[in-house]
Amino acid sequence: MADRQTGQASSGRGPEDSAPEPGAEQDSLMGLLGSRTSAMDASLPPLGFGIGWFLGGESILAGGTAAVAVGAAIGGWRLARGARPLAVLVSLLAVLAGAVIALYTGNAADFFLARLVSNAVSALLWLVSIAARWPLLGVVVGAVLGQGRGWRRDPDLLRGYSRASWPWVGQYAGRLLVFIPLWLGDAVLALSVAQVVLTWPLVALCIAASWWILRRTLPADHPGLRHPRLPDGAPLRSA
């Protein structure tokens, strides 16, 4: 297991010292792909909407106000921790959009409509990326690591990212299987709870599955995600 690493930057230690434990490798991948703060953005405002809607006598306005208030509180907390203002603004606008849609249609369950559409589009994009041999997992990780398109020149990484992208398709499809019946049944509280359950826990499971697939796909002698290599085994040099 230890020979299939993420290829973290050298700290001057020997091979035995520099090889991260499996748990540390998984945490590193989680750090590359997202954090718990983004999961809070996705789960807590919808939960606030459901609670506000219920306590407000099934008032969409009360639910929307609660959701926006929770989103604003999370945004302020994220800004205090150094988050980018644009990212915070986008998250808050997504919550506001859900509230506006529900107010416009007069159906509280429609607060979650944009999230249904987002998951459907995401599942389709991940499927297309795999078919086009531009797996989004590789695109995201490669961008974070500053590799540009370099990872695509490594056939092992390309194969690994393609296979490891399937759990992400399953993640979005799984949400739709739960959300759509609840939305059709106007189950507002159940949708609020499902949003929490199917956010961070599901993302964590998805990342763990992706990492497991990557480790099983890459050859034992592969230097890791940070070090793509050419088909002849030579390391890929940065531009």
Side-chain angles (χ1 to χ4, degrees):
M1 294 288 192
D3 50 12
R4 294 176 183 173
Q5 309 168 16
T6 54
Q8 295 179 346
S10 173
S11 59
R13 296 175 296 177
E16 293 80 10
D17 294 328
S18 61
E21 294 297 324
E25 294 175 35
Q26 184 169 308
D27 288 341
S28 176
L29 188 59
M30 287 183 177
L32 290 172
L33 297 179
S35 67
R36 291 175 176 83
T37 56
S38 58
M40 290 172 60
D41 283 337
S43 59
L44 295 187
L47 182 61
F49 178 85
I51 294 174
W53 172 83
F54 179 76
L55 296 180
E58 300 189 356
S59 166
I60 296 176
L61 181 59
T65 301
V68 173
V70 172
I74 294 173
W77 176 74
R78 289 183 63 194
L79 287 174
R81 291 172 59 90
R84 287 179 288 185
L86 181 59
V88 173
L89 179 61
V90 169
S91 296
L92 187 57
L93 287 177
V95 176
L96 184 60
V100 170
I101 291 172
L103 284 169
Y104 178 78
T105 63
N107 184 358
D110 286 347
F111 175 84
F112 302 89
L113 184 57
R115 296 170 187 269
L116 266 69
V117 173
S118 173
N119 278 277
V121 171
S122 296
L124 181 60
L125 287 176
W126 281 79
L127 273 172
V128 171
S129 76
I130 295 171
R133 294 179 59 80
W134 273 93
L136 281 177
L137 184 61
V139 173
V140 173
V141 175
V144 172
L145 296 179
Q147 296 171 343
R149 303 177 181 179
W151 58 272
R152 289 198 75 246
R153 297 173 61 189
D154 182 333
D156 294 322
L157 274 181
L158 178 58
R159 184 184 311 109
Y161 282 134
S162 294
R163 294 178 180 177
S165 289
W166 281 105
W168 295 83
V169 177
Q171 174 194 190
Y172 296 116
R175 287 201 190 103
L176 290 173
L177 288 175
V178 174
F179 288 163
I180 290 177
L182 294 177
W183 174 67
L184 291 174
D186 294 331
V188 177
L189 290 179
L191 279 166
S192 300
V193 174
Q195 184 69 49
V196 176
V197 174
L198 297 180
T199 301
W200 174 246
L202 185 59
V203 170
L205 179 62
C206 182
I207 292 175
S210 290
W211 184 233
W212 184 86
I213 292 172
L214 269 173
R215 289 168 65 93
R216 295 305 183 276
T217 302
L218 294 180
D221 63 344
H222 195 279
L225 305 184
R226 296 178 182 270
H227 304 285
R229 61 184 183 183
L230 297 173
D232 61 1
L236 183 65
R237 298 184 181 274
S238 302

